[in-house]
Each structure stands twice: as C-alpha cells, then as structure tokens.
Amino acid sequence: MIEMTRPDAAAEGFQTAWNAHDMIALGSLFHEDATFVNRFGHLVRGVEEIIALHAPIHETVYRDSTLENEVIDVIAISDGAAVVHFWSRLTVGTGHPAGPHCVDTLIQAVLTRHAGMWLIKALENVTLTNPRTGQPILRK
C-alpha cells in the first residue's frame, strides 16, 4: 500500500506502483468509488475496476513498461481537496506489439484527504497529440 500525505505525492505514487507492476498498490491510491479515464477514453468506476483495467496490460503489452511523472501544479480547492496536474512519460519495451516507444500524457487527478491521507477521487489521462494529424507527440 502506498500512503500519500500530500496531494502532489499522487504522481510519485502512481509512478512507483506502475513501475513495480503492482496493481494492488496502484489501487491503494484511489478512493473505493473513484473514477478513472485512461488515455483511450475508457471510463471505469471503483478500485476493483481500476485494477481490472490495468492488471491484464501489465501482464502483457506493458509488462516491461515504465513511467516517469513530473508534477506541473497543485491547485487547492479546499483544506481537504486538491487538483493535481502532472506529465507522464510511458516508455514501453519489446513486450508491446508496436515495439519500444514512448508516449507522453497529461494527467489530471482530483484528490481528497481522509484521516490525514490523500486519495484520488477522479483521474483522467490524456495523450498528447498533434491536433492537425492526430499523431501522438512527445513534449520537449
């Protein structure tokens, strides 16, 4: 289980769980009834569905993947709620059908504090793309 004592710890916690391919640890970052939208627009609700969305890909196409996250900002909504934006670079290896490559995304997460710990209530992941061509782009 990954405990987050600050809202910006969501980026590091997500990265740590992903890079360990530990989907139970990933699920521990979320409220039981959280929502998650992946980079392909697939919406799931609840920790069980979040884990179920990620576990199969970590056993197959993302089995040798890594994430590198970088916090952009933290916007306090109230004493116990915040929005966190962070860049995420996914690097996949030979386990992916398209071969080794990188994908950059922007993640927006809404977190709330409960019993001194922060948990993700909602997360959306958006792939950076060229609006004219639809091709994924990497940020500099």
mmCIF file of all heavy atoms in Angstrom, residues 14 18 21-23 26-27 30 36-39 44 47-60 62 123 125:
data_model
loop_
_atom_site.group_PDB
_atom_site.id
_atom_site.type_symbol
_atom_site.label_atom_id
_atom_site.label_comp_id
_atom_site.label_asym_id
_atom_site.label_seq_id
_atom_site.Cartn_x
_atom_site.Cartn_y
_atom_site.Cartn_z
ATOM 1 N N PHE A 14 1.761 6.948 -8.211
ATOM 2 C CA PHE A 14 1.318 6.316 -9.458
ATOM 3 C C PHE A 14 2.520 5.720 -10.187
ATOM 4 O O PHE A 14 2.484 4.582 -10.661
ATOM 5 C CB PHE A 14 0.604 7.362 -10.324
ATOM 6 C CG PHE A 14 -0.253 6.791 -11.412
ATOM 7 C CD1 PHE A 14 -1.596 6.545 -11.202
ATOM 8 C CD2 PHE A 14 0.281 6.505 -12.661
ATOM 9 C CE1 PHE A 14 -2.396 6.018 -12.215
ATOM 10 C CE2 PHE A 14 -0.503 5.978 -13.668
ATOM 11 C CZ PHE A 14 -1.841 5.736 -13.451
ATOM 12 N N TRP A 18 3.148 1.714 -10.840
ATOM 13 C CA TRP A 18 3.241 1.303 -12.249
ATOM 14 C C TRP A 18 4.567 0.596 -12.516
ATOM 15 O O TRP A 18 4.599 -0.486 -13.105
ATOM 16 C CB TRP A 18 3.105 2.519 -13.155
ATOM 17 C CG TRP A 18 3.058 2.180 -14.605
ATOM 18 C CD1 TRP A 18 4.113 1.834 -15.420
ATOM 19 C CD2 TRP A 18 1.902 2.136 -15.426
ATOM 20 N NE1 TRP A 18 3.678 1.588 -16.690
ATOM 21 C CE2 TRP A 18 2.318 1.764 -16.727
ATOM 22 C CE3 TRP A 18 0.550 2.384 -15.195
ATOM 23 C CZ2 TRP A 18 1.427 1.631 -17.789
ATOM 24 C CZ3 TRP A 18 -0.333 2.260 -16.254
ATOM 25 C CH2 TRP A 18 0.109 1.883 -17.537
ATOM 26 N N HIS A 21 4.769 -2.720 -11.381
ATOM 27 C CA HIS A 21 3.697 -3.522 -11.984
ATOM 28 C C HIS A 21 2.830 -4.145 -10.891
ATOM 29 O O HIS A 21 2.373 -5.279 -10.996
ATOM 30 C CB HIS A 21 4.276 -4.566 -12.948
ATOM 31 C CG HIS A 21 5.130 -3.940 -14.002
ATOM 32 N ND1 HIS A 21 4.605 -3.257 -15.083
ATOM 33 C CD2 HIS A 21 6.484 -3.835 -14.113
ATOM 34 C CE1 HIS A 21 5.594 -2.778 -15.820
ATOM 35 N NE2 HIS A 21 6.746 -3.107 -15.251
ATOM 36 N N ASP A 22 2.604 -3.346 -9.844
ATOM 37 C CA ASP A 22 1.833 -3.763 -8.675
ATOM 38 C C ASP A 22 0.480 -3.056 -8.713
ATOM 39 O O ASP A 22 0.339 -1.918 -8.257
ATOM 40 C CB ASP A 22 2.604 -3.403 -7.404
ATOM 41 C CG ASP A 22 1.917 -3.867 -6.138
ATOM 42 O OD1 ASP A 22 0.715 -4.210 -6.173
ATOM 43 O OD2 ASP A 22 2.596 -3.866 -5.086
ATOM 44 N N MET A 23 -0.502 -3.722 -9.257
ATOM 45 C CA MET A 23 -1.805 -3.094 -9.446
ATOM 46 C C MET A 23 -2.594 -2.983 -8.149
ATOM 47 O O MET A 23 -3.468 -2.125 -8.031
ATOM 48 C CB MET A 23 -2.607 -3.831 -10.524
ATOM 49 C CG MET A 23 -1.924 -3.800 -11.897
ATOM 50 S SD MET A 23 -1.549 -2.112 -12.492
ATOM 51 C CE MET A 23 0.192 -1.936 -12.112
ATOM 52 N N LEU A 26 -1.352 0.232 -6.958
ATOM 53 C CA LEU A 26 -2.000 1.284 -7.749
ATOM 54 C C LEU A 26 -3.401 1.543 -7.206
ATOM 55 O O LEU A 26 -3.787 2.691 -6.990
ATOM 56 C CB LEU A 26 -2.060 0.889 -9.227
ATOM 57 C CG LEU A 26 -2.643 1.958 -10.145
ATOM 58 C CD1 LEU A 26 -1.614 3.053 -10.402
ATOM 59 C CD2 LEU A 26 -3.101 1.356 -11.459
ATOM 60 N N GLY A 27 -4.141 0.489 -6.944
ATOM 61 C CA GLY A 27 -5.495 0.635 -6.409
ATOM 62 C C GLY A 27 -5.529 1.324 -5.062
ATOM 63 O O GLY A 27 -6.497 2.022 -4.739
ATOM 64 N N PHE A 30 -6.422 5.133 -4.650
ATOM 65 C CA PHE A 30 -7.754 5.624 -5.006
ATOM 66 C C PHE A 30 -8.784 5.385 -3.910
ATOM 67 O O PHE A 30 -8.709 4.393 -3.185
ATOM 68 C CB PHE A 30 -8.240 4.911 -6.279
ATOM 69 C CG PHE A 30 -7.462 5.271 -7.506
ATOM 70 C CD1 PHE A 30 -6.291 4.611 -7.821
ATOM 71 C CD2 PHE A 30 -7.901 6.282 -8.350
ATOM 72 C CE1 PHE A 30 -5.555 4.936 -8.954
ATOM 73 C CE2 PHE A 30 -7.183 6.612 -9.485
ATOM 74 C CZ PHE A 30 -6.003 5.943 -9.784
ATOM 75 N N PHE A 36 -11.773 6.557 -13.124
ATOM 76 C CA PHE A 36 -10.505 6.585 -13.851
ATOM 77 C C PHE A 36 -10.826 6.585 -15.343
ATOM 78 O O PHE A 36 -11.590 5.744 -15.815
ATOM 79 C CB PHE A 36 -9.678 5.339 -13.513
ATOM 80 C CG PHE A 36 -8.286 5.342 -14.086
ATOM 81 C CD1 PHE A 36 -7.195 5.659 -13.293
ATOM 82 C CD2 PHE A 36 -8.066 5.040 -15.421
ATOM 83 C CE1 PHE A 36 -5.913 5.667 -13.816
ATOM 84 C CE2 PHE A 36 -6.791 5.048 -15.960
ATOM 85 C CZ PHE A 36 -5.713 5.367 -15.154
ATOM 86 N N VAL A 37 -10.252 7.544 -16.068
ATOM 87 C CA VAL A 37 -10.382 7.581 -17.523
ATOM 88 C C VAL A 37 -8.981 7.386 -18.090
ATOM 89 O O VAL A 37 -8.089 8.207 -17.852
ATOM 90 C CB VAL A 37 -10.980 8.913 -18.027
ATOM 91 C CG1 VAL A 37 -11.089 8.902 -19.553
ATOM 92 C CG2 VAL A 37 -12.337 9.178 -17.390
ATOM 93 N N ASN A 38 -8.787 6.294 -18.842
ATOM 94 C CA ASN A 38 -7.458 6.058 -19.397
ATOM 95 C C ASN A 38 -7.229 6.915 -20.644
ATOM 96 O O ASN A 38 -8.113 7.652 -21.076
ATOM 97 C CB ASN A 38 -7.206 4.565 -19.649
ATOM 98 C CG ASN A 38 -7.948 4.012 -20.847
ATOM 99 O OD1 ASN A 38 -8.605 4.715 -21.609
ATOM 100 N ND2 ASN A 38 -7.847 2.705 -21.016
ATOM 101 N N ARG A 39 -6.055 6.804 -21.223
ATOM 102 C CA ARG A 39 -5.685 7.675 -22.346
ATOM 103 C C ARG A 39 -6.462 7.383 -23.616
ATOM 104 O O ARG A 39 -6.392 8.138 -24.577
ATOM 105 C CB ARG A 39 -4.182 7.629 -22.588
ATOM 106 C CG ARG A 39 -3.644 6.323 -23.080
ATOM 107 C CD ARG A 39 -2.114 6.346 -23.076
ATOM 108 N NE ARG A 39 -1.556 5.186 -23.716
ATOM 109 C CZ ARG A 39 -1.138 5.147 -24.972
ATOM 110 N NH1 ARG A 39 -1.217 6.213 -25.731
ATOM 111 N NH2 ARG A 39 -0.633 4.039 -25.467
ATOM 112 N N VAL A 44 -13.780 3.864 -16.050
ATOM 113 C CA VAL A 44 -14.149 2.812 -15.097
ATOM 114 C C VAL A 44 -14.419 3.458 -13.745
ATOM 115 O O VAL A 44 -13.923 4.546 -13.458
ATOM 116 C CB VAL A 44 -13.077 1.705 -14.975
ATOM 117 C CG1 VAL A 44 -12.931 0.937 -16.279
ATOM 118 C CG2 VAL A 44 -11.743 2.258 -14.522
ATOM 119 N N VAL A 47 -12.281 0.928 -7.309
ATOM 120 C CA VAL A 47 -10.924 0.378 -7.260
ATOM 121 C C VAL A 47 -10.840 -0.965 -7.984
ATOM 122 O O VAL A 47 -9.880 -1.221 -8.715
ATOM 123 C CB VAL A 47 -10.437 0.248 -5.796
ATOM 124 C CG1 VAL A 47 -9.156 -0.556 -5.706
ATOM 125 C CG2 VAL A 47 -10.230 1.633 -5.199
ATOM 126 N N GLU A 48 -11.832 -1.829 -7.801
ATOM 127 C CA GLU A 48 -11.789 -3.138 -8.461
ATOM 128 C C GLU A 48 -11.713 -2.993 -9.974
ATOM 129 O O GLU A 48 -10.951 -3.711 -10.633
ATOM 130 C CB GLU A 48 -12.994 -3.980 -8.056
ATOM 131 C CG GLU A 48 -12.914 -4.505 -6.635
ATOM 132 C CD GLU A 48 -14.066 -5.421 -6.289
ATOM 133 O OE1 GLU A 48 -14.771 -5.909 -7.195
ATOM 134 O OE2 GLU A 48 -14.265 -5.651 -5.075
ATOM 135 N N GLU A 49 -12.487 -2.072 -10.538
ATOM 136 C CA GLU A 49 -12.456 -1.865 -11.991
ATOM 137 C C GLU A 49 -11.152 -1.211 -12.438
ATOM 138 O O GLU A 49 -10.657 -1.496 -13.526
ATOM 139 C CB GLU A 49 -13.664 -1.042 -12.445
ATOM 140 C CG GLU A 49 -14.960 -1.820 -12.397
ATOM 141 C CD GLU A 49 -16.112 -1.062 -13.051
ATOM 142 O OE1 GLU A 49 -15.873 -0.213 -13.930
ATOM 143 O OE2 GLU A 49 -17.265 -1.336 -12.674
ATOM 144 N N ILE A 50 -10.608 -0.316 -11.615
ATOM 145 C CA ILE A 50 -9.322 0.313 -11.952
ATOM 146 C C ILE A 50 -8.232 -0.750 -12.017
ATOM 147 O O ILE A 50 -7.438 -0.794 -12.966
ATOM 148 C CB ILE A 50 -8.977 1.427 -10.942
ATOM 149 C CG1 ILE A 50 -9.969 2.597 -11.084
ATOM 150 C CG2 ILE A 50 -7.541 1.903 -11.124
ATOM 151 C CD1 ILE A 50 -9.919 3.621 -9.958
ATOM 152 N N ILE A 51 -8.217 -1.638 -11.039
ATOM 153 C CA ILE A 51 -7.235 -2.730 -11.040
ATOM 154 C C ILE A 51 -7.484 -3.657 -12.228
ATOM 155 O O ILE A 51 -6.542 -4.044 -12.935
ATOM 156 C CB ILE A 51 -7.276 -3.501 -9.706
ATOM 157 C CG1 ILE A 51 -6.761 -2.606 -8.569
ATOM 158 C CG2 ILE A 51 -6.467 -4.799 -9.791
ATOM 159 C CD1 ILE A 51 -6.973 -3.172 -7.180
ATOM 160 N N ALA A 52 -8.738 -4.006 -12.470
ATOM 161 C CA ALA A 52 -9.076 -4.907 -13.582
ATOM 162 C C ALA A 52 -8.711 -4.315 -14.939
ATOM 163 O O ALA A 52 -8.366 -5.058 -15.864
ATOM 164 C CB ALA A 52 -10.567 -5.260 -13.539
ATOM 165 N N LEU A 53 -8.764 -2.996 -15.069
ATOM 166 C CA LEU A 53 -8.376 -2.336 -16.318
ATOM 167 C C LEU A 53 -6.876 -2.460 -16.550
ATOM 168 O O LEU A 53 -6.424 -2.645 -17.680
ATOM 169 C CB LEU A 53 -8.783 -0.856 -16.268
ATOM 170 C CG LEU A 53 -8.394 0.016 -17.456
ATOM 171 C CD1 LEU A 53 -9.157 -0.401 -18.709
ATOM 172 C CD2 LEU A 53 -8.653 1.483 -17.147
ATOM 173 N N HIS A 54 -6.095 -2.351 -15.475
ATOM 174 C CA HIS A 54 -4.640 -2.296 -15.608
ATOM 175 C C HIS A 54 -3.934 -3.648 -15.504
ATOM 176 O O HIS A 54 -2.878 -3.840 -16.116
ATOM 177 C CB HIS A 54 -4.062 -1.334 -14.566
ATOM 178 C CG HIS A 54 -4.368 0.078 -14.867
ATOM 179 N ND1 HIS A 54 -5.513 0.705 -14.404
ATOM 180 C CD2 HIS A 54 -3.705 0.994 -15.605
ATOM 181 C CE1 HIS A 54 -5.526 1.944 -14.843
ATOM 182 N NE2 HIS A 54 -4.437 2.150 -15.576
ATOM 183 N N ALA A 55 -4.439 -4.570 -14.722
ATOM 184 C CA ALA A 55 -3.733 -5.839 -14.485
ATOM 185 C C ALA A 55 -3.417 -6.606 -15.778
ATOM 186 O O ALA A 55 -2.273 -7.028 -15.963
ATOM 187 C CB ALA A 55 -4.518 -6.704 -13.502
ATOM 188 N N PRO A 56 -4.374 -6.784 -16.686
ATOM 189 C CA PRO A 56 -4.060 -7.567 -17.898
ATOM 190 C C PRO A 56 -2.977 -6.928 -18.784
ATOM 191 O O PRO A 56 -2.161 -7.639 -19.355
ATOM 192 C CB PRO A 56 -5.393 -7.634 -18.642
ATOM 193 C CG PRO A 56 -6.437 -7.326 -17.628
ATOM 194 C CD PRO A 56 -5.789 -6.415 -16.633
ATOM 195 N N ILE A 57 -2.966 -5.609 -18.873
ATOM 196 C CA ILE A 57 -1.957 -4.986 -19.737
ATOM 197 C C ILE A 57 -0.572 -5.026 -19.104
ATOM 198 O O ILE A 57 0.435 -5.033 -19.816
ATOM 199 C CB ILE A 57 -2.341 -3.543 -20.156
ATOM 200 C CG1 ILE A 57 -2.539 -2.629 -18.948
ATOM 201 C CG2 ILE A 57 -3.562 -3.566 -21.066
ATOM 202 C CD1 ILE A 57 -2.820 -1.176 -19.284
ATOM 203 N N HIS A 58 -0.538 -5.094 -17.769
ATOM 204 C CA HIS A 58 0.764 -5.210 -17.096
ATOM 205 C C HIS A 58 1.295 -6.640 -17.151
ATOM 206 O O HIS A 58 2.479 -6.860 -16.880
ATOM 207 C CB HIS A 58 0.690 -4.687 -15.660
ATOM 208 C CG HIS A 58 0.803 -3.213 -15.607
ATOM 209 N ND1 HIS A 58 2.004 -2.562 -15.451
ATOM 210 C CD2 HIS A 58 -0.128 -2.238 -15.755
ATOM 211 C CE1 HIS A 58 1.803 -1.255 -15.488
ATOM 212 N NE2 HIS A 58 0.513 -1.042 -15.670
ATOM 213 N N GLU A 59 0.461 -7.561 -17.516
ATOM 214 C CA GLU A 59 0.906 -8.943 -17.719
ATOM 215 C C GLU A 59 1.289 -9.187 -19.173
ATOM 216 O O GLU A 59 1.876 -10.219 -19.488
ATOM 217 C CB GLU A 59 -0.206 -9.906 -17.292
ATOM 218 C CG GLU A 59 -0.493 -9.858 -15.806
ATOM 219 C CD GLU A 59 -1.751 -10.598 -15.408
ATOM 220 O OE1 GLU A 59 -2.434 -11.172 -16.299
ATOM 221 O OE2 GLU A 59 -2.073 -10.609 -14.213
ATOM 222 N N THR A 60 0.945 -8.248 -20.060
ATOM 223 C CA THR A 60 1.185 -8.446 -21.498
ATOM 224 C C THR A 60 1.947 -7.253 -22.079
ATOM 225 O O THR A 60 3.142 -7.130 -21.879
ATOM 226 C CB THR A 60 -0.146 -8.687 -22.233
ATOM 227 O OG1 THR A 60 -1.045 -7.574 -21.975
ATOM 228 C CG2 THR A 60 -0.818 -9.980 -21.776
ATOM 229 N N TYR A 62 2.340 -4.101 -21.475
ATOM 230 C CA TYR A 62 3.067 -3.141 -20.635
ATOM 231 C C TYR A 62 3.926 -3.837 -19.581
ATOM 232 O O TYR A 62 4.371 -3.205 -18.626
ATOM 233 C CB TYR A 62 2.094 -2.180 -19.941
ATOM 234 C CG TYR A 62 1.468 -1.144 -20.852
ATOM 235 C CD1 TYR A 62 0.391 -0.393 -20.434
ATOM 236 C CD2 TYR A 62 1.946 -0.912 -22.138
ATOM 237 C CE1 TYR A 62 -0.191 0.564 -21.246
ATOM 238 C CE2 TYR A 62 1.367 0.038 -22.960
ATOM 239 C CZ TYR A 62 0.297 0.771 -22.515
ATOM 240 O OH TYR A 62 -0.271 1.714 -23.325
ATOM 241 N N LEU A 123 -9.475 10.547 -11.814
ATOM 242 C CA LEU A 123 -8.246 10.741 -12.581
ATOM 243 C C LEU A 123 -8.567 10.606 -14.059
ATOM 244 O O LEU A 123 -9.320 9.714 -14.460
ATOM 245 C CB LEU A 123 -7.193 9.705 -12.178
ATOM 246 C CG LEU A 123 -5.813 9.838 -12.818
ATOM 247 C CD1 LEU A 123 -4.727 9.448 -11.834
ATOM 248 C CD2 LEU A 123 -5.690 9.047 -14.099
ATOM 249 N N ASN A 125 -6.470 10.744 -17.901
ATOM 250 C CA ASN A 125 -5.173 10.671 -18.563
ATOM 251 C C ASN A 125 -5.386 10.988 -20.047
ATOM 252 O O ASN A 125 -6.190 10.326 -20.705
ATOM 253 C CB ASN A 125 -4.618 9.254 -18.381
ATOM 254 C CG ASN A 125 -3.177 9.112 -18.765
ATOM 255 O OD1 ASN A 125 -2.492 10.073 -19.058
ATOM 256 N ND2 ASN A 125 -2.712 7.880 -18.766
#
